């Protein structure tokens, strides 16, 4: 978890070892009580993911 003044990058590791990374507001991270090593789950709502390189 990398906390900034406005946004926080959260990494959730699944039981299979995959990592899901999300950027949420720092206020939301604090309201959720997120802690390094704590338990959390991800709800994925996106219908598509775009990844690109130059």
């Amino acid at each position: 978890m990398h906390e900034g003044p406005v946004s926080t990058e959260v990494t959730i590791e699944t039981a299979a070892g995959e990592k899901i990374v999300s950027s949420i507001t720092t206020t939301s991270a604090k309201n959720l009580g997120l802690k390094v090593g704590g338990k959390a789950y991800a709800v994925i709502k996106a219908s598509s993911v775009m990844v690109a390189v130059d």
Side-chain angles (χ1 to χ4, degrees), residues 2-26:
H2 300 286
E3 184 177 314
V6 176
S7 64
T8 297
E9 184 180 273
V10 178
T11 303
I12 296 175
E13 187 170 348
T14 69
E18 292 111 355
K19 293 183 180 175
I20 299 169
V21 181
S22 180
S23 179
I24 64 173
T25 65
T26 298

Side-chain angles (χ1 to χ4, degrees), residues 10 24-35 39-41:
V10 178
I24 64 173
T25 65
T26 298
T27 299
S28 293
K30 289 180 180 177
N31 288 342
L32 288 167
L34 296 178
K35 304 282 184 211
K39 290 189 177 186
Y41 62 90

